[in-house]
Amino acid sequence: MKALIVDDDSTLRLTVRSVLESKGFQVLEAEDGQMAVDMVQKIPDIGIAILDVNMPRLSGIDALSKIKEINPSIFCIVATAYSNMNDAIRAIRCGAFDYLQKPVEPERLLKLLSNATEASNMVVEASYTSPQLQFDEGRAIVGTSGSLKKVFDVMYRLAKVDTSVLIRGESGTGKELVARALHHNSHRKNGPFVAVNCAAIPESLIESELFGHEKGAFTGADKRKIGKFQMAEGGTIFLDEIGDISPATQVKLLRVLQEKCITLVGSNVETKIDVRIVAATHKPLEKMVDENQFRSDLFFRLNVLPIVLPPLRDRKEDIPALTNYLIKKFNKLHKRKIEGVEHSAINALVQYSWPGNIRELENTMERAFIMESTAHICLSSLPDNIVNVTEADLLNF
Ligand SMILES: Nc1ncnc2c1ncn2[C@@H]1O[C@H](COP(=O)(O)OP(=O)(O)OP(=O)(O)O)[C@@H](O)[C@H]1O
Ligand SMILES: [Mg+2]
C-alpha cells in the first residue's frame, strides 16, 4: 500500500518514513499541503496520508478536506501539537481517521496504522449471510460476529424441525427478521406467515383475534370470525411481545401448544390446527415467572431452545457490514448513489452504543441519506448525539 507523508520538516518525514517502511509501505513525501493535494490528484492508489497541521501554502486541515474530496477512501492521520486538541477535533470533523500527537511516537503510529488497515479491510465488504440459510428477496441477516454465527447455527437446526421457538433480544435486534427466516427455511415456507403483535391488541379482544369467535359469542360478534391461528394453517404464527399476554390467555396458549387444537370463542368444539408457533419477547421472562406474571409451564415449553439475539453494542464488528448493507438498500429505495461512509463517520458509528440496536442504525442511516449531499456519508450528516461520543472520547484521551 502507498503511504504519503506530508510535513515541512524533513527530519520528521524521515522518522515517519522509517516506521512506515518497516511495515512494508511504499512511502511518498510532500513538503506542504498543496503538494500533497497535487500528488493525491495524480496518484490514484494512495491508501494512507499522515499530515502535519502547520505548513506553508496549505495547512494540514485544509489539505485533508481537499484530499477527502478527491479520494474519500484515503485514511488520513493528522499529527497535532501536544496542546492543541481543537486541531484534533477539527481534523476528525474533516474526515481524518485519527490523530497523532507530536512528537510522533513510533508505537502509537504503528497502532494507528494497524487500526487503519483493519478498518479498510472491514469497509471493503464484510456482508455475511449464512451459507446454510436461505432468505427472501431483499432480506438478509447481516453480520459476521461470533455471537451472530452462533445464532445462525441454532437457527439452522431449528429451521428443520417443527418445534415451537422463543426468540429473545432487545428491541430492534432483529427478532421479526429471524422469525421470518425460520419460516422461510422450514418445510412450511409455502404456507402463510402470520404475525401478531400481542402488545397491540386490547386484552378483551386478544382471544377472539387469536382463536376466532362464533357468531353471537359476545356483543358485536355478528359474524363468525376466523382467528390468526386458523389463518396460519400449514404455516407459522409469529406471536410478537408474548411477555405482554395476560395469564388467562397464557393458559389457552399452553393448551394450543400441548393439544395442537384451538377452540373458537363462544364454541365448545375443538378444531385441529397445523401451525408452528414462533414467539418473541424483549422482556425478562424468568423474572416474570418468579413474580407470577408469566406461567412457568408455558415458559419452559417455549424456551426449550431459545434464540438469543445479542444487542448491537456487543457485536460492534458487524457495524461496517450492516452499514454497507443499509447503504445498498437505501440507494435502491431513494434512488441515490451513495458510495460509502467516511472513516470518521464509521468511527463515530462504531463508538456509539445503539440502545435502539439495528432499528436505530437503520433510522440513522436513512436520516443521513436525506442530509447528505456528497457521495459519502460524512460525520456532519449524523445526529449530534452520535457525533458527540467521538468528541467526548477525544477530549478524555
Ligand atoms: N442482522 C441484521 N441484518 C440486516 N438487517 C437487520 C438485522 N437485524 C435487524 N435488521 C433490521 O432491523 C430492523 C429491526 O428488526 P426487527 O423488526 O426484526 O427487530 P425486533 O427485534 O423485532 O424489534 P422490536 O422489538 O422493536 O419489534 C428491521 O428493519 C430489520 O430488517
Ligand atoms: Mg419486532
Side-chain angles (χ1 to χ4, degrees):
M1 198 196 275
K2 282 190 187 136
L4 174 63
I5 306 170
V6 194
D7 203 313
D8 51 344
D9 181 338
S10 61
T11 345
L12 269 168
R13 290 205 301 270
L14 212 61
T15 324
V16 176
R17 173 185 273 273
S18 67
V19 176
L20 288 168
E21 282 178 345
S22 76
K23 284 285 143 191
F25 284 95
Q26 196 185 328
V27 178
L28 307 165
E29 292 183 24
E31 284 171 22
D32 61 54
Q34 189 54 52
M35 192 173 162
V37 172
D38 294 344
M39 287 173 82
V40 167
Q41 214 134 28
K42 285 191 208 111
I43 306 165
D45 56 343
I46 295 175
I48 288 184
I50 298 168
L51 301 117
D52 182 26
V53 176
N54 295 318
M55 290 181 294
R57 294 214 288 168
L58 193 65
S59 82
I61 307 268
D62 292 335
L64 165 71
S65 309
K66 292 204 170 160
I67 288 172
K68 293 302 281 188
E69 250 170 57
I70 301 165
N71 184 350
S73 65
I74 296 181
F75 282 80
C76 294
I77 295 170
V78 172
T80 62
Y82 177 69
S83 55
N84 205 338
M85 224 42 206
N86 284 339
D87 280 347
I89 291 172
R90 269 175 60 218
I92 299 282
R93 281 230 159 124
C94 291
F97 174 70
D98 215 327
Y99 69 97
L100 270 171
Q101 281 176 355
K102 283 178 132 185
V104 172
E105 286 168 18
E107 249 162 50
R108 163 101 176 122
L109 177 57
L110 282 172
K111 177 88 186 75
L112 278 189
L113 288 174
S114 96
N115 287 351
T117 332
E118 198 179 306
S120 88
N121 292 339
M122 286 204 295
V123 175
V124 173
E125 178 60 303
S127 151
Y128 171 95
T129 35
S130 166
Q132 298 131 328
L133 295 164
Q134 308 271 306
F135 294 92
D136 346 359
E137 179 84 42
R139 272 208 187 100
I141 302 181
V142 177
T144 51
S145 56
S147 51
L148 202 65
K149 282 186 182 156
K150 272 190 207 139
V151 168
F152 284 135
D153 212 49
V154 180
M155 278 178 72
Y156 179 62
R157 280 184 280 153
L158 284 175
K160 300 299 164 201
V161 293
D162 216 28
T163 51
S164 46
V165 178
L166 180 63
I167 305 171
R168 314 191 63 176
E170 288 178 12
S171 179
T173 46
K175 296 187 291 294
E176 179 152 359
L177 189 66
V178 165
R180 287 182 187 275
L182 279 176
H183 172 72
H184 199 75
N185 286 275
S186 71
H187 73 271
R188 298 174 175 274
K189 70 174 178 200
N190 295 320
F193 177 90
V194 177
V196 185
N197 183 349
C198 301
I201 304 169
E203 176 56 31
S204 58
L205 292 180
I206 190 144
E207 280 179 34
S208 112
E209 274 294 314
L210 290 176
F211 310 120
H213 62 244
E214 284 295 354
K215 184 176 173 183
F218 48 84
T219 337
D222 49 1
K223 276 196 261 170
R224 185 168 192 264
K225 189 185 150 187
I226 290 262
K228 301 283 189 192
F229 269 97
Q230 275 177 298
M231 286 182 198
E233 179 66 25
T236 306
I237 191 167
F238 175 50
L239 300 175
D240 202 359
E241 313 289 2
I242 191 126
D244 286 50
I245 58 170
S246 69
T249 314
Q250 289 171 26
V251 181
K252 303 234 160 83
L253 261 184
L254 183 63
R255 265 189 61 73
V256 178
L257 275 162
Q258 285 167 336
E259 318 288 337
K260 304 248 177 286
C261 49
I262 54 151
T263 311
L264 273 69
V265 178
S267 158
N268 18 17
V269 186
E270 295 201 317
T271 313
K272 263 258 161 277
I273 49 154
D274 171 29
V275 174
R276 184 189 198 181
I277 298 179
V278 175
T281 184
H282 65 274
K283 290 203 167 168
L285 289 188
E286 290 84 351
K287 190 163 163 259
M288 292 174 70
V289 168
D290 284 346
E291 290 167 358
N292 291 324
Q293 291 163 17
F294 203 86
R295 290 184 65 102
S296 58
D297 42 11
L298 178 59
F299 171 68
F300 290 122
R301 185 108 203 172
L302 285 171
N303 202 42
V304 179
L305 197 54
I307 296 180
V308 183
L309 294 178
L312 189 53
R313 65 180 167 281
D314 290 348
R315 51 182 181 106
K316 289 190 164 183
E317 62 267 46
D318 287 342
I319 291 176
L322 278 164
T323 309
N324 279 345
Y325 168 77
L326 292 170
I327 286 177
K328 282 187 202 142
K329 175 170 150 180
F330 290 133
N331 270 337
K332 237 188 227 166
L333 192 70
H334 296 291
K335 302 199 169 43
R336 295 280 298 270
K337 289 203 172 82
I338 301 275
E339 287 161 20
V341 184
E342 283 278 320
H343 298 300
S344 55
I346 276 279
N347 266 352
L349 294 176
V350 170
Q351 281 181 49
Y352 181 62
S353 63
W354 302 107
N357 294 296
I358 297 141
R359 188 188 303 289
E360 188 183 6
L361 178 64
E362 204 169 59
N363 293 341
T364 303
M365 289 302 290
E366 189 156 25
R367 174 188 185 273
F369 254 69
I370 295 160
M371 305 280 291
E372 189 55 63
S373 51
T374 74
H376 286 78
I377 304 285
C378 303
L379 212 49
S380 56
S381 306
L382 298 179
D384 285 347
N385 63 322
I386 292 174
V387 174
N388 286 342
V389 173
T390 329
E391 279 184 22
D393 280 11
L394 263 174
L395 290 169
N396 288 335
F397 189 79

